[in-house]
């Protein structure tokens, strides 16, 4: 049904009637309209003034709604005035409809502000397009964060976290990564994960039970959120190629590629340090934790992994699914085909970040406390310092098959086969029986050859590798003594980091596993199901990496 537009039927002034605006030269008129579109207020981002101007007469309506310059000049300039665009152009996404994207962003921000004002209204919660919000966070360089905070996105995410505890925690994979990043700009977020300290000596837990379970209740806590993420490890094994989850198995239409359990552990540590009344008494040689400034290039790998996952959804699942149709911000086809992206022979990787000087903490619960008291307390042995470097993959077949590292058995077999001269395809959800030969030929080219044949450092080449494994080793020290480190990063498991920590004097060995959560560092768990806890390490401020001194504020 056609909408009525009475203003279009009204008499339109002409130049003869001395309408001074329309009497101006066309170039000047377009400049004026563009200038009007650049004006906005923090809580009213959409250029409503331009819309109102276009309703003055038919000529202005035609200029602002039908002529090509609006797509090439008016809306791109209005968008750049409000939002960061460096990541958009770097990722080659700038051929979109700028007016539509701006409308989606404003709508998502307004929905967050509305839900933050009524934090128990599930109808308002369901209207939030979290994918749009995540794009704004991970594209931030200078402008986006102010809009997110002005529209209370952090308040909305906190309310969603609490409300979702009664909705099977469906949004945990979305809101936990969002809160982990926004806590760097509003540290008061941690107050919502803090328990009230009781006067009784047995009640000393600082962090809420809901968040603490991710730190100590390993498998049970992860299953609370990973059950909503069946495609989370779609790159881990070729056996997933033909799996087609139903709508009931995947109620989420979007979730970030930043690991949700790792984000939960970062929030755990941030809450503990923000809330404990006497840190320097309970933590030996306590060092304050850092806060980080976000830059869009830190999330290029997250974007590529999320994009690759959505290509899989569109390509490998024959039957259309309603949840697959809601992806709005990622291209439905591979725009980086020439780079090898989303192919069996190339893997998205951030493993090079492992090199450098690291500082962090690990926590645990004393088993005797659990026996003698009803409550438990988080214990810290003091800061942990490590110096890590990447080493060649020599004798990797022995390393990867060790029980110390939790990479997939199919990955270990593939690596061992390559070392013995046997050609075996890397495990990938893109693999199939018809492209093994082509994949093997591409795999035999080393990374140096790929770099020399493409633009060095160009996107996304700098984030792609042909070998999915990266071996690293190093040394470290904590309050228990010096130790050595040997580990692997597995890009078939979204960059899972696994390593052994062996104390030099005692020979005692502990197993660590986690994932990158840039720019905060790496978060994970150590020990086993019977004894262990969370750990978090970050790049030290004097490091030359993008996560170094330029991006850290110390709390």
């Amino acid at each position: 049904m056609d909408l009525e537009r009475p203003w279009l039927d009204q008499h339109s002034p002409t130049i003869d009637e001395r309408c001074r605006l329309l009497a101006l030269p066309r170039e000047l008129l377009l400049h004026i309209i563009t200038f009007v579109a650049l004006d906005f207020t923090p809580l009213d981002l959409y250029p409503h003034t331009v819309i109102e101007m276009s309703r003055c007469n038919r000529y202005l309506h035609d200029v602002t709604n039908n002529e090509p310059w609006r797509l090439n000049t008016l809306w791109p300039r209005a968008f750049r005035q409000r939002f960061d665009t460096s990541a958009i152009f770097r990722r080659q996404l700038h051929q979109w409809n700028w007016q539509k994207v701006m409308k989606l962003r404003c709508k998502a921000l307004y929905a967050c502000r509305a839900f933050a004002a009524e934090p128990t209204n599930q109808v308002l919660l369901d209207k939030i397009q979290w994918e749009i919000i995540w794009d704004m966070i991970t594209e931030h360089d200078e402008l986006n964060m102010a809009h997110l905070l002005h529209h209370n996105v952090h308040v909305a995410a906190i309310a969603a976290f609490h409300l979702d505890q009664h909705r099977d925690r469906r949004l945990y994979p979305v809101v936990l990564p969002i809160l982990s990043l926004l806590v760097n700009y509003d540290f008061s977020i941690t107050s919502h994960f803090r328990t009230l300290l009781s006067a009784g000596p047995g009640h000393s837990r600082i962090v809420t039970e809901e968040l603490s379970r991710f730190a100590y209740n390993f498998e049970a806590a992860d299953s609370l959120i990973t059950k909503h993420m069946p495609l989370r490890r779609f790159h881990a094994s070729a056996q997933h190629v033909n799996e087609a989850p139903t709508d009931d198995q995947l109620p989420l239409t979007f979730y970030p590629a930043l690991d949700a359990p790792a984000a939960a552990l970062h929030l755990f540590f941030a809450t503990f340090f923000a809330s404990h009344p006497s840190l320097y008494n309970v933590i030996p040689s306590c060092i304050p934790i850092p806060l980080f400034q976000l830059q869009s290039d830190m999330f290029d790998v997250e974007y590529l992994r999320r994009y690759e996952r959505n290509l899989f959804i569109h390509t490998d699942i024959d039957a259309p699914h309603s949840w697959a149709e809601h992806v709005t911000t990622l291209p439905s086809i591979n725009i980086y085909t020439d780079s090898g992206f989303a192919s069996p022979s190339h893997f998205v990787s951030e493993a090079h970040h492992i090199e450098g000087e690291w500082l962090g903490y690990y926590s645990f619960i004393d088993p005797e406390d659990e026996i003698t008291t009803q409550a438990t307390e988080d214990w810290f042995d003091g800061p942990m310092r490590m110096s890590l470097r990447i080493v060649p993959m020599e004798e990797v077949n022995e390393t990867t098959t060790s029980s110390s590292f939790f990479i997939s058995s199919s990955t270990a077999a593939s690596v061992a086969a390559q070392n013995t001269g046997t050609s075996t395809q890397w495990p990938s959800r893109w693999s199939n029986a018809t492209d093994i030969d082509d994949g093997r030929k591409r795999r035999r080219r080393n990374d140096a050859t790929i770099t020399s044949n493409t633009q060095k450092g160009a996107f996304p080449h700098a984030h792609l590798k042909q070998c999915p494994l990266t071996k690293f080793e190093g040394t470290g020290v904590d309050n228990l003594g010096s130790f050595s480190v040997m580990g692997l990063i597995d890009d078939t498991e979204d960059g899972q980091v696994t390593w052994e920590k062996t104390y030099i004097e005692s020979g005692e060995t502990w197993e660590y596993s986690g994932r990158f959560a840039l720019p905060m560092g790496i978060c994970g768990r150590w020990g086993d199901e019977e004894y262990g806890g969370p750990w978090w390490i970050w790049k030290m401020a004097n490091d030359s990496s993008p996560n170094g001194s330029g991006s850290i504020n110390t709390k």
Side-chain angles (χ1 to χ4, degrees):
M1 184 178 75
D2 295 334
L3 296 176
E4 294 185 3
R5 295 186 175 91
W7 49 270
L8 273 179
D9 299 326
Q10 295 175 1
H11 177 65
S12 299
T14 64
I15 295 178
D16 293 337
E17 293 174 318
R18 297 184 180 182
C19 177
R20 295 183 179 181
L21 180 63
L22 300 182
L24 294 173
R26 174 182 171 81
E27 292 76 9
L28 184 56
L29 178 61
L30 298 183
H31 180 75
I32 292 174
I33 296 175
T34 303
F35 182 79
V36 172
L38 299 182
D39 185 49
F40 68 94
T41 62
L43 295 180
D44 190 11
L45 296 177
Y46 197 74
H48 295 288
T49 307
V50 172
I51 306 301
E52 295 299 323
M53 178 184 290
S54 70
R55 296 176 178 176
C56 292
N57 58 64
R58 292 178 179 273
Y59 179 70
L60 288 177
H61 179 267
D62 185 66
V63 168
T64 56
N65 290 276
N66 298 323
E67 295 197 11
W69 82 281
R70 67 187 176 86
L71 299 177
N72 303 325
T73 303
L74 175 63
W75 290 104
R77 288 192 59 183
F79 190 95
R80 289 195 297 267
Q81 184 73 8
R82 293 160 172 79
F83 302 103
D84 292 303
T85 58
S86 294
I88 295 171
F89 282 91
R90 183 173 62 253
R91 298 168 186 172
Q92 305 165 35
L93 301 174
H94 53 281
Q95 299 299 328
W96 57 22
N97 186 322
W98 294 94
Q99 181 181 7
K100 178 182 178 181
V101 176
M102 180 184 293
K103 187 178 296 184
L104 286 172
R105 295 196 173 193
C106 293
K107 182 179 179 180
L109 289 171
Y110 299 159
C112 284
R113 188 173 64 185
F115 174 63
E118 299 182 46
T120 60
N121 192 325
Q122 294 190 25
V123 175
L124 293 178
L125 172 59
D126 293 335
K127 291 182 179 180
I128 299 176
Q129 293 180 287
W130 292 107
E131 183 180 8
I132 307 297
I133 298 299
W134 182 255
D135 284 341
M136 293 180 60
I137 294 174
T138 56
E139 291 171 5
H140 168 72
D141 286 304
E142 297 178 358
L143 304 175
N144 291 359
M145 191 56 64
H147 303 321
L148 295 163
L149 297 179
H150 279 142
H151 288 81
N152 290 330
V153 170
H154 55 305
V155 178
I158 293 168
F161 176 85
H162 291 302
L163 189 60
D164 221 46
Q165 295 179 30
H166 309 290
R167 306 199 317 167
D168 200 25
R169 301 172 175 84
R170 290 178 297 168
L171 286 178
Y172 274 27
V174 179
V175 297
L176 284 173
I178 288 176
L179 291 171
S180 176
L181 296 178
L182 294 185
V183 74
N184 293 286
Y185 290 84
D186 188 346
F187 214 55
S188 66
I189 288 175
T190 58
S191 64
H192 298 274
F193 303 108
R194 177 194 312 159
T195 59
L196 297 176
L197 296 180
S198 172
H203 300 275
S204 53
R205 175 61 61 83
I206 301 295
V207 185
T208 60
E209 185 64 31
E210 183 69 16
L211 196 59
S212 293
R213 70 173 67 194
F214 291 101
Y216 300 108
N217 193 0
F218 291 9
E219 298 297 332
D222 278 4
S223 66
L224 293 176
I225 58 177
T226 55
K227 65 182 179 181
H228 301 296
M229 306 161 62
L231 294 178
R232 179 170 178 263
R233 294 190 177 91
F234 66 93
H235 205 325
S237 173
Q239 67 184 8
H240 295 295
V241 170
N242 296 319
E243 291 187 359
T246 65
D247 290 343
D248 293 336
Q249 291 174 312
L250 187 58
L252 284 179
T253 59
F254 156 78
Y255 57 91
L258 194 155
D259 190 61
L265 296 180
H266 171 247
L267 287 170
F268 169 85
F269 280 102
T271 301
F272 184 90
F273 277 79
S275 307
H276 202 287
S278 55
L279 279 175
Y280 290 89
N281 292 330
V282 299
I283 301 180
S285 306
C286 178
I287 296 176
I289 64 172
L291 299 179
F292 300 83
Q293 298 293 325
L294 305 187
Q295 294 293 325
S296 63
D297 57 353
M298 300 173 181
F299 302 99
D300 284 344
V301 167
E302 187 280 335
Y303 158 77
L304 288 172
R305 285 187 173 139
R306 182 161 43 94
Y307 183 18
E308 191 177 31
R309 180 181 69 207
N310 281 280
L311 288 176
F312 168 65
I313 291 175
H314 284 285
T315 304
D316 277 21
I317 297 179
D318 296 330
H321 286 67
S322 60
W323 49 265
E325 299 172 357
H326 291 287
V327 178
T328 58
T329 65
L330 295 171
S332 59
I333 61 173
N334 187 354
I335 63 175
Y336 309 124
T337 305
D338 295 341
S339 68
F341 171 71
S343 70
S345 59
H346 290 74
F347 296 82
V348 179
S349 178
E350 56 199 339
H352 64 280
H353 287 299
I354 198 67
E355 284 197 329
E357 305 297 319
W358 295 85
L359 178 65
Y361 290 95
Y362 64 89
S363 175
F364 60 95
I365 294 177
D366 193 333
E368 295 183 0
D369 287 347
E370 296 183 279
I371 298 175
T372 58
T373 64
Q374 295 295 326
T376 56
E377 181 178 359
D378 302 303
W379 290 85
F380 288 73
D381 277 339
M384 171 175 57
R385 294 177 174 85
M386 296 188 296
S387 178
L388 304 178
R389 63 186 181 92
I390 296 175
V391 296
M393 294 289 294
E394 297 175 357
E395 299 180 355
V396 69
N397 54 321
E398 297 181 6
T399 304
T400 56
T401 55
S402 168
S403 61
S404 303
F405 301 107
F406 309 124
I407 65 172
S408 61
S409 58
S410 57
T411 303
S414 298
V415 177
Q418 190 192 44
N419 287 342
T420 58
T422 303
S423 296
T424 303
Q425 183 77 325
W426 292 116
S428 168
R429 79 274 176 273
W430 298 101
S431 302
N432 57 61
T434 61
D435 62 6
I436 289 181
D437 290 338
D438 292 339
R440 183 171 65 249
K441 291 176 182 178
R442 290 193 295 269
R443 188 175 65 251
R444 284 182 174 178
R445 295 168 56 192
N446 56 37
D447 291 337
T449 304
I450 295 175
T451 304
S452 64
N453 292 334
T454 59
Q455 297 180 2
K456 187 175 182 180
F459 189 89
H461 301 92
H463 306 294
L464 299 177
K465 290 180 56 181
Q466 286 187 299
C467 177
L469 299 181
T470 301
K471 182 180 178 181
F472 64 92
E473 63 182 27
T475 58
V477 62
D478 58 24
N479 278 15
L480 300 182
S482 300
F483 56 85
S484 63
V485 172
M486 182 179 66
L488 283 173
I489 301 172
D490 185 357
D491 289 318
T492 70
E493 291 280 352
D494 289 342
Q496 178 172 279
V497 183
T498 54
W499 49 285
E500 283 185 344
K501 174 184 183 182
T502 304
Y503 286 96
I504 296 176
E505 291 189 6
S506 65
E508 185 178 25
T509 298
W510 292 102
E511 299 170 355
Y512 282 66
S513 179
R515 280 187 172 84
F516 285 97
L518 297 179
M520 287 77 67
I522 311 175
C523 298
R525 301 189 187 92
W526 66 276
D528 51 36
E529 294 182 357
E530 296 181 357
Y531 182 66
W535 58 275
W536 169 35
I537 58 174
W538 61 86
K539 281 285 184 72
M540 294 182 65
N542 60 355
D543 191 82
S544 60
S545 72
N547 301 326
S549 58
S551 61
I552 292 181
N553 290 330
T554 302
K555 173 183 175 290

